Amino acid sequence: MSTENEGTEVPPAPSAPPVPVDTPAASAPDAPAQQPPEQSGGAAAQSGATAAGGEPASPGHAPAQAPAPPAPAPSAPAPSVPDPYAHTTAHLGAGQSQAHHTGASRPTTGQSPAGAWPPPPPPAVPTYAQGGGHDGGAGSHWGASWTAEQPSAPKPSGRRGGLVAAVLAAALIAGGVGGGLGFWAADRNDDSGTDSTPVSASDAPADLKRQPGSVADIANKALPSVVTIEAQNGSGEGGTGTGFVYDTQGHILTNNHVVASAAEGGKLSATFSNGKKYSAEVVGRAEGYDVAVIKLKDKPANLTPIPLANSDKVAVGDSTIAIGAPFGLSNTVTTGIVSAKNRPVTSSDGGNKSSYMSALQTDASINPGNSGGPLLDARGAVIGINSAIKPADSGGGLGGGGQSGSIGLGFAIPVNQAKNVAQQLIKTGEATYPVIGASVALAETSDGATISDRGASGSGPAVEPGGPAAKAGLKSGDVIKKLDDMVIDSGPTLIGQIWTHKPGDTVKITYERDGKERTTDVVLGARKGDS
């Protein structure tokens, strides 16, 4: 399966001075994972209208003959009120202006006698409810309709602030226009107004279902240990991804494709959920595994590693929680389940080399920018590193730039494998790959992995003389069908499955030669680095 790695550009986050300290790393127990309770919540709707009652008639006896009533005045046409959601221009984060709201007060007694013509005018519609955005162009990003209706205000300090401001502005606009309509309707009606008594939801913790083990509880504990990574090359080009605290020494675990642009003389930074930003450097990276370790140059004093689970014990159907910065939206939490295990995935970020994994598949929403972030279980322990998605064939997605969004097919590197690679990178700066000493065809088929007739470079033998495959009796043309109990349908599947092991491990290979099925044991060899 070919997939697309994530990555997107965002504005830099604010910075703050750090304080260094060292504490021991944490790991998760292997107790059975508890499923978090189902989340439920209510939405409270607000409504408001100003009701005005007519003046009561003075008590007394009516005269014997009343004067003929005047001819009825022509009925007033209903005022045309602009639709507050009719315009959707301007991009989120564009310049905004702040306007003072002025409410129209109700005419006092004596200003407009009852039955007078023309009737008193409706209150002026605030300027921010008129059509047309400040930018004057059609926006393509979600949230554009909110900022288009806002008056100007001081530019928010960060992207998260801008999003919050847009949401609040939308609520105020809807309330302001609705209030104006309610006032006009009440002023045109002589009937007495009615009071509105909304019902408030309970704020008790038991009603909110945020007990220990809930998604809210897990997210609250994990978010301070997740960072948004910004990587730039020497020319200032790059993108963003996610990472998480691996140990108390300041190491951050992430994907290779997140930091690759900054590996050769570029700039690297990590921003925590509290907005504090720290410079970082690459410790080591493994292109084939798509794993990298970076280290904060001045680590904060309160680093808390996220516990690591045993990904071998994950079961299909287990709950998952993904944390990351999709399309630059830092600290985003999504949920799902483990959809499949041992999913063969080949991914590439456009470079010369591909990465191969026997991945955990999840339907938790993963988008460009989630790369390198943790995939958690129901206890809040890491079971994988979110690394790739299968995009829709149509392409395109949120945020423009041709990036595709989630269709419920996300893939994570099992944390057992990532942990093994991370320890090698921290110790030596490079990773060691287990190999069988034979080149196989990389075409995606369903017939197995065929040993090529020549080496990977296009010359030399496909089976390394004296290597593990040669010692096990494998030859060019043999079709490998199984590795241990795992069915092998292609070369990439074989590579990904071999890389779940370590050099020196013995594996059983089932292969086909001349129409006959055979088996042999292979002791895996080692290859140092990505060359």
Side-chain angles (χ1 to χ4, degrees):
M1 177 182 296
S2 178
T3 62
E4 184 176 282
N5 284 317
E6 306 93 8
T8 188
E9 296 183 359
V10 293
S15 61
V19 182
V21 80
D22 286 346
T23 52
S27 59
D30 290 335
Q34 297 179 353
Q35 301 296 327
E38 295 181 358
Q39 299 299 303
S40 63
Q46 297 181 353
S47 62
T50 304
E55 295 179 358
S58 301
H61 299 285
Q65 291 183 349
S75 59
S80 175
V81 180
D83 181 356
Y85 299 105
H87 45 290
T88 57
T89 60
H91 289 282
L92 185 63
Q96 305 168 357
S97 62
Q98 180 74 28
H100 296 288
H101 296 221
T102 58
S105 61
R106 187 168 178 219
T108 58
T109 304
Q111 288 180 329
S112 179
W117 186 263
V125 178
T127 57
Y128 54 73
Q130 303 299 329
H134 296 295
D135 290 348
S140 61
H141 297 297
W142 59 271
S145 60
W146 294 342
T147 46
E149 298 171 18
Q150 289 190 88
S152 66
K155 186 174 181 181
S157 60
R159 191 176 189 110
R160 287 176 282 113
L163 290 173
V164 173
V167 173
L168 293 178
L172 290 173
I173 290 169
V177 175
L181 289 173
F183 182 93
W184 181 86
D187 190 65
R188 297 299 301 148
N189 195 333
D190 290 336
D191 295 337
S192 297
T194 58
D195 292 334
S196 175
T197 307
V199 178
S200 298
S202 171
D203 290 333
D207 295 328
L208 295 175
K209 294 186 178 180
R210 292 178 186 159
Q211 61 266 32
S214 65
V215 173
D217 176 64
I218 292 171
N220 183 59
K221 293 177 180 177
L223 278 169
S225 299
V226 179
V227 297
T228 298
I229 297 174
E230 299 174 43
Q232 294 182 345
N233 60 18
S235 302
E237 298 177 348
T240 66
T242 308
F244 60 92
V245 177
Y246 180 72
D247 58 27
T248 57
Q249 285 71 43
H251 292 110
I252 304 294
L253 191 56
T254 186
N255 283 137
N256 170 69
H257 74 263
V258 170
V259 302
S261 60
E264 304 295 337
K267 294 181 179 180
L268 199 61
S269 66
T271 303
F272 285 83
S273 61
N274 60 6
K276 293 184 178 180
K277 185 176 183 178
Y278 300 87
S279 295
E281 60 186 355
V282 176
V283 173
R285 56 195 187 98
E287 293 181 65
Y289 291 120
D290 196 17
V291 172
V293 175
I294 66 174
K295 188 175 184 179
L296 304 178
K297 292 183 177 179
D298 294 301
K299 64 183 179 65
N302 57 344
L303 279 179
T304 303
I306 303 181
L308 306 182
N310 183 350
S311 54
D312 290 341
K313 295 187 177 181
V314 170
V316 173
D318 283 353
S319 295
T320 59
I321 302 171
I323 303 179
F327 296 102
L329 303 177
S330 300
N331 312 316
T332 295
V333 178
T334 58
T335 62
I337 63 169
V338 175
S339 304
K341 294 177 61 177
N342 302 311
R343 182 70 74 193
V345 173
T346 304
S347 64
S348 173
D349 59 355
N352 295 327
K353 295 185 178 181
S354 296
S355 61
Y356 303 93
M357 67 184 89
S358 182
L360 297 175
Q361 180 181 324
T362 181
D363 65 348
S365 182
I366 297 175
N367 288 286
N370 274 106
S371 284
L375 184 67
L376 308 177
D377 64 11
R379 302 168 298 167
V382 181
I383 59 174
I385 301 178
N386 300 319
S387 301
I389 61 173
K390 172 63 178 176
D393 293 338
S394 57
L398 298 176
Q403 293 178 320
S404 299
S406 171
I407 58 171
L409 296 174
F411 305 98
I413 301 168
V415 74
N416 286 10
Q417 180 181 16
K419 178 182 178 181
N420 176 48
V421 176
Q423 290 173 335
Q424 295 179 47
L425 294 176
I426 292 172
K427 185 176 180 180
T428 67
E430 59 182 351
T432 299
Y433 296 85
V435 295
I436 63 171
S439 298
V440 294
L442 297 180
E444 294 188 5
T445 66
S446 58
D447 298 330
T450 302
I451 298 179
S452 305
D453 56 0
R454 63 187 65 184
S457 61
S459 60
V463 178
E464 177 187 338
K471 290 179 180 179
L474 294 173
K475 300 178 179 180
S476 293
D478 289 346
V479 181
I480 298 175
K481 297 288 189 176
K482 283 185 179 181
L483 190 146
D484 292 330
D485 293 330
M486 184 64 57
V487 174
I488 303 300
D489 59 4
S490 66
T493 300
L494 176 64
I495 296 172
Q497 193 60 35
I498 289 173
W499 285 359
T500 64
H501 294 271
K502 298 178 181 179
D505 287 353
T506 299
V507 296
K508 178 176 288 187
I509 288 182
T510 302
Y511 65 99
E512 185 177 285
R513 179 189 297 170
D514 299 329
K516 295 181 180 180
E517 193 171 274
R518 311 171 187 224
T519 60
T520 186
D521 290 337
V522 177
V523 179
L524 298 176
R527 188 194 78 200
K528 194 81 170 177
D530 287 297
S531 58

